[in-house]
Amino acid sequence: MNILILGGGGREHALAWAVMQNPKCDKLIVAPGNAGIALIAECARLDIEDGGAVAEFAGENNIDLIVVGPEAPLAAGVADDLRGAGFLVFGPSAAAARLEASKAFTKEICAAVGAPTAGYGHFTDAASAKAYLAGQSMPIVVKADGLAAGKGVIIAETLTEAEATIDDMFAGAFGGAGAEVVIEEFMQGEEASFFVLVDGADVLPIGTAQDHKRVGDGDTGPNTGGMGAYSPAPVLDEATAQKALDEIVKPTMAEMARRGTPYQGVLYAGLMIQDGQPRLVEYNVRFGDPECQVLMMRLGAQAMDLMHACAEGRLAEAKVNWADDHAMTVVLAATGYPGAYKKGTRIGGLEALPETSSQMMFHAGTTSTDGQTVATGGRVLNATARGATLQEARDRAYDLARSVDWPEGFYRKDIGWRALS
Ligand code: AMP
Ligand code: GLY
């Protein structure tokens, strides 16, 4: 099979790495890819939010399956365009991608099916949003409705802060994403991520993970896209995962199908768990980044068969071969991230790293200039490893992280602390 993966981050490097291990893969192209992906696959320059351009490229390259990594092309309808052009695609339609692209839409679906989630209000003007605050207790969560690259969620500790956030959002602090605002009850508990494949009808769980969103050790400092992750998530035990499936994921998927917008692809349910009861925080319509890195490390080559079965609507007959293992990824980021940081700094020591089926340095934001790997983003490398225990996975991941020679980078030293303590 000839496979095209859209995206160029650590998530896509991990997907490419898993796909390349599968003997059914004849050719792999990643667009746009990065310096790490270029070592294992062909990279192509392509506007991945332009469905027509992707379809033309896929036709020229005899592509049999297209895997869409990030949410932006999905929300832009690239999967629709590609399916319309006759390609097999792993990734939801724009209509189904609203589960990530509109927080108000997701809350409305949850209400329609009775899925446990935070109480909320949905507003299109500042005055009514502020009026709603009167009856609420603090902290409270204020969210820009649309896609805001993970930045559109503010947990306000005081009424003054909540009101100021509402004003900012309606004043355009998050662009069009903040033209509508959702205000939510603050949920207590422990967060975990639950990943399932959905082919419109059947739902197949493929793993759980927990990430660390704060930039600093001890889960301090500003929020980031994720500074590390591990799988499985101990808090999402079998009984809790089953509840999440029965009360949240399956009813949502059935409702999407009933409305004529069936979901196809990976669904990432962000859950808040308290006393064994999961509640939905959010859906994402793609793999998490860096959660994908630990999932791929554990699934390996079968990930390609599972995505293929999902795209072809054959999940009813698909099975995941579970190993009793653990994986961890540690994100190496540019100093200053998630604030301002330098670009173009040189990274050394990558050539000497061991790269095996249980230890991989995935690239997230790199490019190759004159044979030298340089950092191009905030989150730059993902030191990822697998082990029989989480401790073993952790030791291997940190061995990789320590071996990198990048004075302008940093990483958290305590990924997995909650699960290991
Ligand atoms: P979201 O983009 O909706 O996932 O929000 C980003 C982060 O904000 C989540 O991962 C949670 O840590 C936090 N968060 C969002 N909504 C809530 C809520 N209702 N209660 C508590 N924390 C929340
Ligand atoms: N790591 C969180 C996300 O991918 O949304």
Side-chain angles (χ1 to χ4, degrees), residues 103 118 141 143 153 155 184-187 191 213 272 281-282:
K103 297 189 188 296
V141 188
K143 300 184 174 185
V153 174
I155 297 170
E184 274 183 26
E185 161 204 356
F186 178 80
M187 294 187 283
E191 267 187 278
K213 289 202 166 62
M272 189 69 82
V281 179
E282 62 163 355

Side-chain angles (χ1 to χ4, degrees), residues 211 213 225-226 268 282 284 286-291 379:
D211 78 341
K213 289 202 166 62
Y268 155 178
E282 62 163 355
N284 293 302
R286 51 173 174 83
F287 283 107
D289 189 344
E291 292 89 335
R379 292 188 296 167

Side-chain angles (χ1 to χ4, degrees), residues 200-223:
D202 288 292
V203 175
L204 180 71
I206 56 161
T208 65
Q210 275 179 293
D211 78 341
H212 293 263
K213 289 202 166 62
R214 304 297 195 98
V215 73
D217 283 1
D219 292 323
T220 56
N223 264 320

Side-chain angles (χ1 to χ4, degrees), residues 27-369:
K27 178 164 80 169
L28 175 64
I29 307 179
V30 184
N34 61 38
I37 295 172
L39 299 174
I40 60 168
E42 187 181 330
C43 292
R45 246 194 284 265
L46 195 58
D47 178 359
I48 64 169
E49 289 178 40
D50 179 344
V54 177
E56 193 183 325
F57 178 85
E60 286 163 3
N61 288 278
N62 300 315
I63 296 297
D64 301 302
L65 172 66
I66 303 167
V67 175
V68 187
E71 65 277 17
L74 294 167
V78 167
D80 306 75
D81 295 343
L82 294 172
R83 273 193 278 267
F87 291 99
L88 192 59
V89 184
F90 178 79
S93 66
R98 290 187 75 203
L99 285 173
E100 175 165 359
S102 168
K103 297 189 188 296
F105 175 76
T106 294
K107 299 302 283 189
E108 187 262 313
I109 288 259
C110 284
V113 302
T117 183
Y120 79 110
H122 169 213
F123 306 96
T124 52
D125 69 277
S128 39
K130 287 183 191 171
Y132 175 83
L133 291 178
Q136 306 299 316
S137 53
M138 299 297 135
I140 196 150
V141 188
V142 184
K143 300 184 174 185
D145 177 67
L147 292 179
K151 297 189 180 75
V153 174
I154 306 292
I155 297 170
E157 300 293 336
T158 63
L159 187 61
T160 317
E161 196 188 337
E163 289 181 336
T165 303
I166 289 168
D167 284 331
D168 286 351
M169 285 188 181
F170 282 113
F174 299 98
E180 298 185 26
V181 165
V182 168
I183 303 180
E184 274 183 26
E185 161 204 356
F186 178 80
M187 294 187 283
Q188 304 282 350
E190 189 172 340
E191 267 187 278
S193 306
F194 188 30
F195 294 87
V196 300
L197 299 186
V198 187
D199 65 3
D202 288 292
V203 175
L204 180 71
I206 56 161
T208 65
Q210 275 179 293
D211 78 341
H212 293 263
K213 289 202 166 62
R214 304 297 195 98
V215 73
D217 283 1
D219 292 323
T220 56
N223 264 320
T224 70
M227 293 301 293
Y230 52 96
S231 172
V235 68
L236 250 178
D237 56 30
E238 227 173 288
T240 309
Q242 193 60 47
K243 268 192 186 178
L245 269 179
D246 293 342
E247 298 175 12
I248 302 172
V249 174
K250 285 185 175 175
T252 306
M253 294 297 98
E255 179 67 6
M256 293 299 285
R258 194 189 67 75
R259 294 184 183 196
T261 52
Y263 191 92
Q264 189 264 68
V266 60
L267 182 74
Y268 155 178
L271 303 171
M272 189 69 82
I273 297 149
Q274 192 177 35
D275 304 326
Q277 177 62 50
R279 297 167 82 189
L280 184 74
V281 179
E282 62 163 355
Y283 283 124
N284 293 302
V285 299
R286 51 173 174 83
F287 283 107
D289 189 344
E291 292 89 335
C292 185
Q293 288 80 315
V294 286
L295 293 178
M296 291 304 123
M297 194 36 81
R298 295 187 64 208
L299 291 170
Q302 65 177 319
M304 174 181 149
D305 297 321
L306 293 169
M307 292 190 288
H308 185 204
C310 180
E312 288 191 328
R314 291 187 285 107
L315 280 184
E317 62 188 56
K319 236 182 88 240
V320 180
N321 292 313
W322 292 108
D324 187 15
D325 59 359
H326 297 257
M328 182 179 291
T329 188
V330 177
V331 172
L332 285 77
T335 302
Y337 174 82
Y341 53 84
K342 260 204 273 182
K343 283 189 185 177
T345 57
R346 289 162 159 258
I347 305 168
L350 294 173
E351 305 73 20
L353 296 181
E355 298 195 330
T356 66
S357 63
S358 55
Q359 213 173 6
M360 265 301 294
M361 182 64 84
F362 294 122
H363 289 220
T366 62
T367 190
S368 185
T369 310

